[in-house]
Short mmCIF file of all heavy atoms in Angstrom, two decimals:
data_model
loop_
_atom_site.label_atom_id
_atom_site.label_comp_id
_atom_site.label_asym_id
_atom_site.label_seq_id
_atom_site.Cartn_x
_atom_site.Cartn_y
_atom_site.Cartn_z
N SER A 445 101.08 120.72 124.00
CA SER A 445 100.31 120.97 122.78
C SER A 445 101.26 121.44 121.69
O SER A 445 102.18 122.20 121.95
CB SER A 445 99.23 122.04 123.03
OG SER A 445 98.34 121.63 124.04
N VAL A 446 101.01 120.99 120.49
CA VAL A 446 101.84 121.40 119.35
C VAL A 446 100.94 121.75 118.18
O VAL A 446 99.80 121.27 118.05
CB VAL A 446 102.83 120.29 118.92
CG1 VAL A 446 103.82 119.99 120.01
CG2 VAL A 446 102.07 119.04 118.50
N GLN A 447 101.44 122.62 117.30
CA GLN A 447 100.76 122.94 116.05
C GLN A 447 101.29 121.99 114.97
O GLN A 447 102.48 121.98 114.68
CB GLN A 447 101.03 124.40 115.65
CG GLN A 447 100.23 125.42 116.44
CD GLN A 447 98.75 125.41 116.08
OE1 GLN A 447 98.38 125.05 114.97
NE2 GLN A 447 97.91 125.80 117.05
N VAL A 448 100.41 121.20 114.41
CA VAL A 448 100.81 120.18 113.42
C VAL A 448 100.43 120.65 112.03
O VAL A 448 99.29 121.09 111.80
CB VAL A 448 100.13 118.83 113.74
CG1 VAL A 448 100.49 117.79 112.68
CG2 VAL A 448 100.53 118.35 115.12
N ASP A 449 101.38 120.58 111.13
CA ASP A 449 101.15 120.93 109.74
C ASP A 449 100.39 119.79 109.07
O ASP A 449 100.88 118.66 108.98
CB ASP A 449 102.49 121.18 109.04
CG ASP A 449 102.31 121.61 107.60
OD1 ASP A 449 101.17 121.95 107.23
OD2 ASP A 449 103.30 121.60 106.84
N THR A 450 99.17 120.05 108.61
CA THR A 450 98.35 118.98 108.02
C THR A 450 98.93 118.49 106.70
O THR A 450 98.67 117.35 106.30
CB THR A 450 96.91 119.46 107.81
OG1 THR A 450 96.91 120.70 107.10
CG2 THR A 450 96.21 119.65 109.14
N ALA A 451 99.72 119.32 106.01
CA ALA A 451 100.37 118.85 104.78
C ALA A 451 101.34 117.73 105.10
O ALA A 451 101.46 116.74 104.35
CB ALA A 451 101.09 120.00 104.09
N ALA A 452 102.06 117.85 106.24
CA ALA A 452 102.98 116.79 106.65
C ALA A 452 102.22 115.53 107.04
O ALA A 452 102.68 114.41 106.79
CB ALA A 452 103.84 117.27 107.82
N VAL A 453 101.03 115.69 107.63
CA VAL A 453 100.20 114.52 107.97
C VAL A 453 99.75 113.82 106.70
O VAL A 453 99.75 112.58 106.62
CB VAL A 453 99.00 114.95 108.83
CG1 VAL A 453 98.06 113.77 109.07
CG2 VAL A 453 99.47 115.52 110.16
N ARG A 454 99.38 114.60 105.68
CA ARG A 454 98.99 113.98 104.41
C ARG A 454 100.14 113.18 103.82
O ARG A 454 99.94 112.07 103.30
CB ARG A 454 98.54 115.07 103.42
CG ARG A 454 97.18 115.67 103.72
CD ARG A 454 96.64 116.42 102.51
NE ARG A 454 97.50 117.55 102.15
CZ ARG A 454 97.38 118.77 102.63
NH1 ARG A 454 96.46 119.03 103.53
NH2 ARG A 454 98.18 119.75 102.23
N ASP A 455 101.34 113.69 103.90
CA ASP A 455 102.50 112.96 103.39
C ASP A 455 102.74 111.68 104.20
O ASP A 455 103.14 110.66 103.65
CB ASP A 455 103.75 113.84 103.45
CG ASP A 455 103.68 115.01 102.48
OD1 ASP A 455 102.88 114.92 101.52
OD2 ASP A 455 104.39 116.01 102.70
N ALA A 456 102.49 111.74 105.51
CA ALA A 456 102.75 110.58 106.37
C ALA A 456 101.83 109.41 106.05
O ALA A 456 102.23 108.25 106.20
CB ALA A 456 102.60 110.98 107.84
N ILE A 457 100.60 109.69 105.60
CA ILE A 457 99.67 108.59 105.35
C ILE A 457 99.66 108.18 103.87
O ILE A 457 98.84 107.34 103.48
CB ILE A 457 98.24 108.97 105.79
CG1 ILE A 457 97.72 110.17 104.99
CG2 ILE A 457 98.21 109.28 107.29
CD1 ILE A 457 96.29 110.53 105.33
N GLN A 458 100.56 108.74 103.07
CA GLN A 458 100.60 108.35 101.66
C GLN A 458 101.03 106.90 101.48
O GLN A 458 100.56 106.23 100.57
CB GLN A 458 101.55 109.28 100.89
CG GLN A 458 100.99 110.66 100.62
CD GLN A 458 99.69 110.62 99.86
OE1 GLN A 458 99.57 109.93 98.85
NE2 GLN A 458 98.70 111.34 100.36
N THR A 459 101.93 106.42 102.34
CA THR A 459 102.43 105.04 102.18
C THR A 459 101.32 104.01 102.31
O THR A 459 101.15 103.16 101.42
CB THR A 459 103.56 104.76 103.19
OG1 THR A 459 104.62 105.68 102.96
CG2 THR A 459 104.07 103.34 103.03
N PRO A 460 100.50 104.02 103.39
CA PRO A 460 99.41 103.03 103.43
C PRO A 460 98.38 103.24 102.34
O PRO A 460 97.84 102.26 101.81
CB PRO A 460 98.81 103.23 104.83
CG PRO A 460 99.26 104.56 105.29
CD PRO A 460 100.59 104.78 104.64
N LEU A 461 98.11 104.49 101.97
CA LEU A 461 97.12 104.72 100.92
C LEU A 461 97.63 104.28 99.55
O LEU A 461 96.85 103.86 98.70
CB LEU A 461 96.73 106.20 100.89
CG LEU A 461 95.97 106.71 102.12
CD1 LEU A 461 95.63 108.18 101.97
CD2 LEU A 461 94.69 105.90 102.35
N THR A 462 98.95 104.35 99.33
CA THR A 462 99.52 103.87 98.07
C THR A 462 99.31 102.36 97.92
O THR A 462 99.07 101.87 96.81
CB THR A 462 101.02 104.21 98.01
OG1 THR A 462 101.18 105.62 98.11
CG2 THR A 462 101.62 103.73 96.70
N ALA A 463 99.38 101.64 99.02
CA ALA A 463 99.13 100.20 98.98
C ALA A 463 97.70 99.90 98.53
O ALA A 463 97.45 98.93 97.79
CB ALA A 463 99.40 99.57 100.34
N VAL A 464 96.75 100.74 98.95
CA VAL A 464 95.36 100.56 98.51
C VAL A 464 95.24 100.80 97.01
O VAL A 464 94.56 100.04 96.29
CB VAL A 464 94.43 101.52 99.29
CG1 VAL A 464 93.01 101.44 98.76
CG2 VAL A 464 94.46 101.19 100.78
N LEU A 465 95.91 101.82 96.50
CA LEU A 465 95.89 102.09 95.05
C LEU A 465 96.50 100.94 94.27
O LEU A 465 96.01 100.57 93.19
CB LEU A 465 96.62 103.39 94.75
CG LEU A 465 95.99 104.68 95.31
CD1 LEU A 465 96.89 105.87 95.01
CD2 LEU A 465 94.61 104.89 94.71
N ASP A 466 97.56 100.36 94.80
CA ASP A 466 98.18 99.20 94.13
C ASP A 466 97.20 98.04 94.06
O ASP A 466 97.15 97.31 93.06
CB ASP A 466 99.45 98.79 94.88
CG ASP A 466 100.56 99.81 94.74
OD1 ASP A 466 100.48 100.65 93.82
OD2 ASP A 466 101.52 99.77 95.55
N GLY A 467 96.44 97.83 95.14
CA GLY A 467 95.46 96.74 95.15
C GLY A 467 94.37 96.95 94.12
O GLY A 467 93.94 96.00 93.44
N ILE A 468 93.91 98.19 93.97
CA ILE A 468 92.90 98.49 92.95
C ILE A 468 93.46 98.21 91.55
O ILE A 468 92.78 97.61 90.70
CB ILE A 468 92.43 99.95 93.07
CG1 ILE A 468 91.70 100.17 94.39
CG2 ILE A 468 91.53 100.33 91.89
CD1 ILE A 468 91.33 101.62 94.66
N GLY A 469 94.71 98.62 91.30
CA GLY A 469 95.33 98.36 90.01
C GLY A 469 95.48 96.88 89.73
O GLY A 469 95.27 96.43 88.59
N LYS A 470 95.80 96.10 90.74
CA LYS A 470 95.96 94.66 90.57
C LYS A 470 94.63 94.00 90.19
O LYS A 470 94.58 93.11 89.33
CB LYS A 470 96.51 94.05 91.85
CG LYS A 470 96.96 92.60 91.71
CD LYS A 470 97.56 92.08 93.00
CE LYS A 470 98.81 92.82 93.40
NZ LYS A 470 99.43 92.24 94.61
N VAL A 471 93.54 94.44 90.82
CA VAL A 471 92.22 93.89 90.50
C VAL A 471 91.84 94.22 89.06
O VAL A 471 91.34 93.36 88.32
CB VAL A 471 91.17 94.42 91.49
CG1 VAL A 471 89.76 94.10 90.99
CG2 VAL A 471 91.39 93.83 92.87
N LEU A 472 92.09 95.45 88.64
CA LEU A 472 91.71 95.85 87.28
C LEU A 472 92.55 95.14 86.22
O LEU A 472 92.06 94.84 85.13
CB LEU A 472 91.86 97.37 87.14
CG LEU A 472 90.89 98.22 87.95
CD1 LEU A 472 91.21 99.69 87.81
CD2 LEU A 472 89.45 97.96 87.51
N ARG A 473 93.81 94.84 86.54
CA ARG A 473 94.67 94.18 85.56
C ARG A 473 94.23 92.76 85.25
O ARG A 473 94.45 92.28 84.12
CB ARG A 473 96.13 94.19 86.05
CG ARG A 473 96.83 95.52 85.86
CD ARG A 473 98.34 95.40 86.04
NE ARG A 473 98.69 95.04 87.40
CZ ARG A 473 98.90 95.89 88.39
NH1 ARG A 473 98.76 97.20 88.16
NH2 ARG A 473 99.23 95.48 89.59
N VAL A 474 93.65 92.07 86.21
CA VAL A 474 93.24 90.68 85.97
C VAL A 474 91.75 90.57 85.66
O VAL A 474 91.24 89.48 85.44
CB VAL A 474 93.57 89.80 87.20
CG1 VAL A 474 95.05 89.78 87.46
CG2 VAL A 474 92.83 90.28 88.45
N CYS A 475 91.04 91.70 85.60
CA CYS A 475 89.61 91.69 85.31
C CYS A 475 89.40 91.63 83.79
O CYS A 475 90.16 92.24 83.03
CB CYS A 475 88.98 92.96 85.90
SG CYS A 475 87.19 92.99 85.81
N PRO A 476 88.38 90.90 83.32
CA PRO A 476 88.11 90.86 81.87
C PRO A 476 87.85 92.26 81.31
O PRO A 476 87.24 93.10 81.98
CB PRO A 476 86.85 89.99 81.78
CG PRO A 476 86.88 89.14 83.01
CD PRO A 476 87.51 89.99 84.06
N PRO A 477 88.30 92.53 80.09
CA PRO A 477 88.17 93.89 79.50
C PRO A 477 86.72 94.37 79.43
O PRO A 477 86.45 95.56 79.59
CB PRO A 477 88.78 93.73 78.10
CG PRO A 477 89.67 92.53 78.21
CD PRO A 477 89.05 91.62 79.21
N ASP A 478 85.76 93.47 79.15
CA ASP A 478 84.36 93.88 79.06
C ASP A 478 83.87 94.47 80.37
O ASP A 478 83.10 95.43 80.39
CB ASP A 478 83.48 92.70 78.65
CG ASP A 478 83.75 92.24 77.23
OD1 ASP A 478 84.35 93.03 76.48
OD2 ASP A 478 83.39 91.11 76.89
N LEU A 479 84.29 93.87 81.48
CA LEU A 479 83.86 94.36 82.78
C LEU A 479 84.56 95.67 83.14
O LEU A 479 83.97 96.54 83.76
CB LEU A 479 84.12 93.30 83.86
CG LEU A 479 83.34 91.99 83.71
CD1 LEU A 479 83.66 91.05 84.87
CD2 LEU A 479 81.84 92.25 83.63
N VAL A 480 85.82 95.81 82.73
CA VAL A 480 86.55 97.06 83.00
C VAL A 480 85.88 98.22 82.27
O VAL A 480 85.80 99.34 82.79
CB VAL A 480 88.03 96.93 82.58
CG1 VAL A 480 88.74 98.26 82.73
CG2 VAL A 480 88.72 95.87 83.43
N ALA A 481 85.36 97.95 81.07
CA ALA A 481 84.65 99.00 80.33
C ALA A 481 83.40 99.45 81.09
O ALA A 481 83.07 100.65 81.10
CB ALA A 481 84.26 98.49 78.94
N ASP A 482 82.70 98.52 81.73
CA ASP A 482 81.54 98.90 82.56
C ASP A 482 81.97 99.79 83.73
O ASP A 482 81.28 100.74 84.09
CB ASP A 482 80.85 97.65 83.12
CG ASP A 482 80.17 96.84 82.03
OD1 ASP A 482 79.94 97.40 80.94
OD2 ASP A 482 79.87 95.66 82.27
N LEU A 483 83.11 99.46 84.32
CA LEU A 483 83.57 100.19 85.50
C LEU A 483 83.97 101.62 85.19
O LEU A 483 83.94 102.49 86.06
CB LEU A 483 84.75 99.45 86.14
CG LEU A 483 84.45 98.06 86.68
CD1 LEU A 483 85.72 97.41 87.20
CD2 LEU A 483 83.41 98.12 87.79
N ALA A 484 84.36 101.88 83.94
CA ALA A 484 84.74 103.24 83.57
C ALA A 484 83.57 104.21 83.77
O ALA A 484 83.76 105.39 84.06
CB ALA A 484 85.22 103.29 82.12
N ASP A 485 82.34 103.71 83.60
CA ASP A 485 81.15 104.54 83.80
C ASP A 485 80.63 104.45 85.23
O ASP A 485 80.24 105.45 85.82
CB ASP A 485 80.04 104.13 82.83
CG ASP A 485 80.44 104.31 81.38
OD1 ASP A 485 81.20 105.27 81.12
OD2 ASP A 485 80.01 103.52 80.53
N ARG A 486 80.63 103.24 85.79
CA ARG A 486 80.03 103.03 87.11
C ARG A 486 80.96 103.47 88.23
O ARG A 486 80.53 103.95 89.26
CB ARG A 486 79.66 101.56 87.30
CG ARG A 486 78.60 101.07 86.33
CD ARG A 486 78.40 99.57 86.47
NE ARG A 486 77.37 99.10 85.58
CZ ARG A 486 76.08 99.03 85.91
NH1 ARG A 486 75.70 99.42 87.10
NH2 ARG A 486 75.19 98.58 85.06
N GLY A 487 82.26 103.24 88.06
CA GLY A 487 83.22 103.65 89.07
C GLY A 487 83.30 102.69 90.25
O GLY A 487 82.94 101.52 90.16
N ILE A 488 83.77 103.21 91.38
CA ILE A 488 84.02 102.42 92.59
C ILE A 488 83.06 102.86 93.68
O ILE A 488 82.85 104.05 93.90
CB ILE A 488 85.47 102.62 93.08
CG1 ILE A 488 86.47 102.31 91.95
CG2 ILE A 488 85.76 101.78 94.30
CD1 ILE A 488 87.90 102.70 92.29
N MET A 489 82.46 101.89 94.35
CA MET A 489 81.61 102.17 95.50
C MET A 489 82.39 101.86 96.78
O MET A 489 82.88 100.75 96.95
CB MET A 489 80.33 101.32 95.45
CG MET A 489 79.42 101.51 96.65
SD MET A 489 78.74 103.18 96.77
CE MET A 489 77.49 103.13 95.50
N MET A 490 82.53 102.86 97.65
CA MET A 490 83.27 102.69 98.89
C MET A 490 82.32 102.44 100.05
O MET A 490 81.34 103.17 100.24
CB MET A 490 84.11 103.95 99.19
CG MET A 490 85.21 104.21 98.19
SD MET A 490 86.04 105.80 98.50
CE MET A 490 86.63 105.55 100.18
N VAL A 491 82.59 101.39 100.82
CA VAL A 491 81.82 101.09 102.02
C VAL A 491 82.81 100.81 103.15
O VAL A 491 84.02 100.69 102.93
CB VAL A 491 80.88 99.88 101.81
CG1 VAL A 491 79.92 100.13 100.66
CG2 VAL A 491 81.67 98.61 101.54
N GLY A 492 82.29 100.67 104.36
CA GLY A 492 83.16 100.43 105.51
C GLY A 492 83.41 101.72 106.29
O GLY A 492 83.30 102.83 105.75
N GLY A 493 83.75 101.58 107.55
CA GLY A 493 83.94 102.75 108.40
C GLY A 493 85.04 103.68 107.94
O GLY A 493 84.92 104.91 108.03
N SER A 494 86.13 103.14 107.40
CA SER A 494 87.24 103.98 106.96
C SER A 494 86.95 104.72 105.66
O SER A 494 87.72 105.59 105.24
CB SER A 494 88.51 103.14 106.79
OG SER A 494 88.87 102.55 108.02
N ALA A 495 85.84 104.39 104.98
CA ALA A 495 85.46 105.13 103.77
C ALA A 495 85.10 106.57 104.08
O ALA A 495 85.10 107.42 103.19
CB ALA A 495 84.29 104.43 103.09
N LEU A 496 84.80 106.86 105.35
CA LEU A 496 84.42 108.21 105.76
C LEU A 496 85.62 109.11 106.01
O LEU A 496 85.44 110.26 106.41
CB LEU A 496 83.55 108.14 107.03
CG LEU A 496 82.21 107.42 106.85
CD1 LEU A 496 81.54 107.23 108.20
CD2 LEU A 496 81.30 108.17 105.90
#
Side-chain angles (χ1 to χ4, degrees):
S445 300
V446 296
Q447 283 289 332
V448 177
D449 183 13
T450 51
V453 174
R454 286 196 298 270
D455 292 339
I457 62 176
Q458 285 303 312
T459 300
L461 293 180
T462 301
V464 175
L465 294 176
D466 291 342
I468 294 174
K470 191 177 296 184
V471 168
L472 292 175
R473 282 194 295 272
V474 298
C475 188
D478 292 342
L479 296 182
V480 174
D482 292 342
L483 296 176
D485 299 327
R486 296 174 179 270
I488 305 170
M489 177 64 76
M490 294 174 59
V491 302
S494 299
L496 296 172

